[in-house]
Amino acid sequence: MLTEQQKRTFMIAAIEEAKMAKTVGEVPIGAVVVHDGQIIGRGHNMRERFQDVTYHAEMLAITEACEALHSWRLEDCQLFVTLEPCMMCSGAIVNARLEAVYYAAKDPKAGTVDSLYHLLNDDRFNHQVRVESGLMEEACSQLLKQFFRAIRQKRRAAKRLSK
Amino acid sequence: MLTEQQKRTFMIAAIEEAKMAKTVGEVPIGAVVVHDGQIIGRGHNMRERFQDVTYHAEMLAITEACEALHSWRLEDCQLFVTLEPCMMCSGAIVNARLEAVYYAAKDPKAGTVDSLYHLLNDDRFNHQVRVESGLMEEACSQLLKQFFRAIRQKRRAAKRLSK
């Protein structure tokens, strides 16, 4: 089992990934996959840069973790992510048989772990995933809010200039 | 709108992809993405070969289509796939805003389009997808059944030899 200190350390690593997304103008979401107390996969949202709809933070972290373990099964691994996973990422998490998911902020519009569905805990699938939410929620939530606020401000400024 | 002949042609292309998976020992599932009546993305299951849990037929076809259109939005595109999509692929389909999905055989254990959920038609998400199922169902279903029958036969033969 991970200690509270370890959980915090891994969520900070996910936040660092989210910040990397922000610096290149992507929605700041980050994720890491942990195995035996070590980070073996990292990812941040790169959907816009690569114009690939599958390039969510969790997907990229999971792919990197599969490469590290030479296995599509991530049974003893934990995923840390700054925002509640969407349907696609929830599916990848179940398919990879991850042991646990720790997410920070809820996503009421597209989150399928707690908000719209409980897809990680449906016993009709061949795997269920332990979930902990709310770890460093405020920091992750603020990161997203500031990002969208800055975008709105830029748009307003552009409108004023174009008048 | 696609004609019945076009739909059949595109499902045959998806079946050809599924057969490619089979020749390399992968579960035979194939998919194509269509735009303006042309195939712009193809994919077959490659999970075992690359040991990557995200390498489902639909995901690879969607990524190829995004590359072709230089866009993560596949709004005017249709996906043809030999088996009902799982949760991960359903998520990618909604995220990419595909116009329609045509799938052949149902997947009662993991399908999330009709079998376990109706994830492509939940109006709480920002996009819904038109679904048609059953096109060339028997051919796709037989392909999967033959594949798993051959695996069971191989296992039995191996057991007999090891006695």
Side-chain angles (χ1 to χ4, degrees):
Chain A
M1 286 290 288
L2 298 173
T3 64
E4 291 308 308
Q5 181 55 45
Q6 278 181 307
K7 290 180 197 173
R8 216 181 138 78
T9 302
F10 296 135
M11 190 58 86
I12 288 170
I15 293 172
E16 288 306 313
E17 285 293 323
K19 286 178 180 168
M20 282 186 224
K22 191 184 167 190
T23 57
V24 291
E26 299 274 356
V27 178
I29 305 166
V32 298
V33 173
V34 172
H35 179 249
D36 280 348
Q38 301 290 326
I39 293 173
I40 59 162
R42 295 172 191 267
H44 55 265
N45 176 31
M46 298 205 287
R47 188 183 65 172
E48 299 299 331
R49 204 180 346 167
F50 289 90
Q51 287 296 315
D52 187 324
V53 77
T54 72
Y55 275 28
H56 280 198
E58 302 94 313
M59 302 297 282
L60 297 166
I62 285 172
T63 284
E64 202 171 281
C66 289
E67 274 174 28
L69 296 185
H70 308 292
S71 172
W72 62 261
R73 291 177 183 85
L74 303 177
E75 278 154 348
D76 302 319
C77 297
Q78 297 83 36
L79 178 87
F80 287 78
V81 57
T82 57
L83 186 68
E84 183 183 355
C86 75
M87 191 200 314
M88 173 178 72
C89 297
S90 297
I93 288 162
V94 170
N95 290 352
R97 303 178 190 177
L98 277 152
E99 187 259 321
V101 166
Y102 299 84
Y103 75 84
K106 281 210 171 15
D107 183 354
K109 287 186 184 170
T112 53
V113 174
D114 288 311
S115 295
L116 300 181
Y117 286 97
H118 295 87
L119 293 178
L120 303 192
N121 287 296
D122 183 334
D123 59 15
R124 295 173 302 170
F125 293 121
N126 65 353
H127 182 73
Q128 292 78 45
V129 184
R130 195 163 55 76
V131 175
E132 271 188 48
S133 64
L135 180 67
M136 303 188 72
E137 183 178 356
E138 188 54 28
C140 296
S141 185
Q142 279 305 322
L143 199 57
L144 282 162
K145 279 179 189 162
Q146 281 163 10
F147 177 81
F148 288 114
R149 196 179 303 136
I151 284 183
R152 283 193 300 272
Q153 282 169 348
K154 264 188 201 168
R155 280 195 191 142
R156 264 186 235 123
K159 262 191 189 171
R160 270 197 297 272
L161 279 173
S162 69
K163 272 178 190 170
Chain B
M1 286 291 289
L2 298 172
T3 65
E4 291 308 310
Q5 181 55 43
Q6 279 180 307
K7 290 179 196 172
R8 216 181 139 79
T9 302
F10 296 135
M11 190 58 87
I12 288 170
I15 294 173
E16 288 307 312
E17 286 292 321
K19 286 179 181 167
M20 283 186 222
K22 191 183 166 191
T23 57
V24 292
E26 300 274 354
V27 177
I29 304 165
V32 297
V33 173
V34 172
H35 180 249
D36 279 348
Q38 300 290 324
I39 294 174
I40 59 162
R42 295 172 190 267
H44 55 266
N45 176 32
M46 297 205 287
R47 189 183 64 171
E48 300 298 331
R49 203 180 348 164
F50 289 91
Q51 288 295 314
D52 188 324
V53 77
T54 71
Y55 275 28
H56 280 198
E58 301 94 314
M59 303 297 282
L60 297 167
I62 285 172
T63 284
E64 202 171 280
C66 289
E67 274 174 29
L69 296 185
H70 309 293
S71 172
W72 63 261
R73 291 177 183 85
L74 303 177
E75 278 154 345
D76 301 319
C77 297
Q78 298 83 34
L79 178 88
F80 288 78
V81 57
T82 57
L83 186 68
E84 183 184 354
C86 75
M87 190 200 316
M88 173 177 72
C89 297
S90 297
I93 289 162
V94 171
N95 290 351
R97 304 178 190 176
L98 277 152
E99 187 259 321
V101 166
Y102 299 84
Y103 75 86
K106 279 210 170 19
D107 183 354
K109 287 184 183 171
T112 53
V113 174
D114 288 312
S115 295
L116 300 180
Y117 287 95
H118 295 88
L119 293 179
L120 303 192
N121 287 297
D122 183 335
D123 58 16
R124 295 174 301 169
F125 293 121
N126 66 353
H127 182 73
Q128 291 79 45
V129 184
R130 196 164 53 77
V131 175
E132 272 189 48
S133 65
L135 181 67
M136 303 188 73
E137 184 177 355
E138 188 56 26
C140 296
S141 186
Q142 280 304 322
L143 199 60
L144 282 162
K145 280 179 188 161
Q146 282 163 10
F147 178 81
F148 288 114
R149 195 180 302 135
I151 284 183
R152 283 194 300 273
Q153 282 170 350
K154 266 189 200 168
R155 280 194 192 144
R156 266 187 234 122
K159 262 192 188 171
R160 270 198 298 273
L161 280 172
S162 69
K163 273 180 188 168

